[in-house]
Amino acid sequence: MTDLSFGLFSDLHANLPGLPERGFAGRSMEDLARGLSRFRDAGVRFAVSLGDNVQPAENAERQAEQLSGMIALWNGYGFPVSLVPGNHEFQQLSHAEFLSVCGTDRTYSSFVTGGIRFVLLDTNVNPDGSHYSADNFDWRFGIVDDTQVRWLEDLLREKIPTVVFTHNCLYWETGDPSDAFFRVQNWEQLVDLLSGSGCVRAVFQGHHHTFRADRRDGILFVNVPSPERAPAYTDECFPIVRIADGELFYNGVRGELL
């Protein structure tokens, strides 16, 4: 019987001392430590960063140091933390440099724990199929590329309960035309694939910095808010998701009530 919990955070936009701050992001590292402590105390099985952890530094080397230091910090809390990259990870770092900092050879992945499959997608691909790298991108036009789509199709052939994590929104319908830029450009293809599989329960996404919950075709889509918008630390920016007996709870609230 599944009963597990995991932590989420998104869009820290932390910057090195002495550089211009974005919103309340000068407090991001303090908030992160507090949020990670919250996760540890709650006994989460793992946590996921939904990207945009960093702001530009003096140069790419310093940004690599900043991201590496952040990863070292969150690896010290007794549970694994997975990173879904955001567009800001590639403002100064090349794709190869990002992979080197993270100690991996790929920016998307999946794992199964407690009978649930968790999928991490990379939305930082240009429409021509090239990956974001060293500021070679327009954040408004990210896609999930064909290689990932084929990989995802293969994964979803095994019908087990699935949760998906992304940076750019897969589903985001506010009625404001400008909000379309916060979605992956091939969002309809992705949403159709997820809903057609019949096994995806929820998608957690970031990028817009605000909380929102939507439903489409039986899938719950939740935007995780950014602490950059909050004038003081709040647990809302470091939510804990619990899955128990087939039900999902977001910071203690039943999923269908969000």
Side-chain angles (χ1 to χ4, degrees), residues 203-221:
V203 175
F204 294 98
Q205 50 199 21
H207 196 39
H208 196 275
H209 294 200
T210 58
F211 171 81
R212 184 178 174 86
D214 289 294
R215 289 170 189 78
R216 175 166 168 155
D217 300 330
I219 300 174
L220 174 66
F221 294 83

Side-chain angles (χ1 to χ4, degrees), residues 100-118:
S100 178
V101 169
C102 295
T104 185
D105 60 359
R106 200 169 68 176
T107 49
Y108 59 95
S109 62
S110 71
F111 61 93
V112 176
T113 185
I116 301 171
R117 176 172 51 212
F118 297 94

Side-chain angles (χ1 to χ4, degrees), residues 89-157:
E89 268 77 41
F90 300 103
Q91 278 193 279
Q92 289 173 291
L93 299 180
S94 70
H95 186 205
E97 287 168 336
F98 173 81
L99 292 174
S100 178
V101 169
C102 295
T104 185
D105 60 359
R106 200 169 68 176
T107 49
Y108 59 95
S109 62
S110 71
F111 61 93
V112 176
T113 185
I116 301 171
R117 176 172 51 212
F118 297 94
V119 178
L120 292 74
L121 294 178
D122 180 7
T123 59
N124 301 286
V125 181
N126 292 306
D128 66 2
S130 62
H131 199 280
Y132 288 10
S133 187
D135 214 26
N136 179 30
F137 63 88
D138 184 328
W139 67 268
R140 299 172 298 174
F141 301 113
I143 66 168
V144 174
D145 60 285
D146 290 341
T147 298
Q148 282 188 85
V149 170
R150 290 191 295 269
W151 169 81
L152 184 58
E153 287 173 337
D154 288 341
L155 272 185
L156 295 178
R157 290 192 176 97

Side-chain angles (χ1 to χ4, degrees), residues 3-256:
D3 189 342
L4 65 84
S5 60
F6 56 88
L8 294 170
F9 57 95
S10 189
D11 296 270
L12 297 174
H13 289 281
N15 56 277
L16 291 168
L19 294 177
E21 295 179 4
R22 175 171 177 158
F24 296 103
R27 205 190 56 242
S28 287
M29 295 304 291
E30 178 184 338
D31 282 6
L32 176 60
R34 190 166 172 180
L36 293 170
S37 295
R38 162 176 157 83
F39 296 161
R40 180 187 58 204
D41 294 346
V44 301
R45 193 167 299 191
F46 63 88
V48 177
S49 162
L50 296 175
D52 278 8
N53 289 285
V54 292
Q55 284 289 98
E58 292 96 329
N59 51 50
E61 181 180 6
R62 292 289 282 152
Q63 187 166 85
E65 290 175 2
Q66 183 185 29
L67 183 58
S68 179
M70 188 178 293
I71 292 171
L73 169 68
W74 69 44
N75 281 339
Y77 280 78
F79 51 84
V81 181
S82 297
L83 170 56
V84 175
N87 48 288
H88 278 265
E89 268 77 41
F90 300 103
Q91 278 193 279
Q92 289 173 291
L93 299 180
S94 70
H95 186 205
E97 287 168 336
F98 173 81
L99 292 174
S100 178
V101 169
C102 295
T104 185
D105 60 359
R106 200 169 68 176
T107 49
Y108 59 95
S109 62
S110 71
F111 61 93
V112 176
T113 185
I116 301 171
R117 176 172 51 212
F118 297 94
V119 178
L120 292 74
L121 294 178
D122 180 7
T123 59
N124 301 286
V125 181
N126 292 306
D128 66 2
S130 62
H131 199 280
Y132 288 10
S133 187
D135 214 26
N136 179 30
F137 63 88
D138 184 328
W139 67 268
R140 299 172 298 174
F141 301 113
I143 66 168
V144 174
D145 60 285
D146 290 341
T147 298
Q148 282 188 85
V149 170
R150 290 191 295 269
W151 169 81
L152 184 58
E153 287 173 337
D154 288 341
L155 272 185
L156 295 178
R157 290 192 176 97
E158 183 182 3
K159 304 304 180 185
I160 63 174
T162 299
V163 173
V164 177
F165 306 105
T166 71
H167 180 66
N168 286 29
C169 304
L170 294 193
Y171 187 67
W172 176 258
E173 287 291 348
T174 65
D176 183 344
S178 66
D179 278 343
F181 292 126
F182 291 92
R183 296 187 303 233
V184 292
Q185 295 303 292
N186 57 334
W187 68 272
E188 291 175 292
Q189 176 190 21
L190 270 295
V191 171
D192 286 348
L193 173 58
L194 298 182
S195 60
S197 73
C199 61
V200 176
R201 301 291 181 261
V203 175
F204 294 98
Q205 50 199 21
H207 196 39
H208 196 275
H209 294 200
T210 58
F211 171 81
R212 184 178 174 86
D214 289 294
R215 289 170 189 78
R216 175 166 168 155
D217 300 330
I219 300 174
L220 174 66
F221 294 83
V222 179
N223 276 71
V224 175
S226 166
E228 179 264 339
R229 291 275 187 105
Y233 172 87
T234 170
D235 288 345
E236 297 305 308
C237 295
F238 293 87
I240 294 173
V241 179
R242 181 183 175 213
I243 301 174
D245 298 332
E247 292 194 82
L248 183 148
F249 300 83
Y250 182 91
N251 269 351
V253 179
R254 200 179 300 271
E256 59 263 30

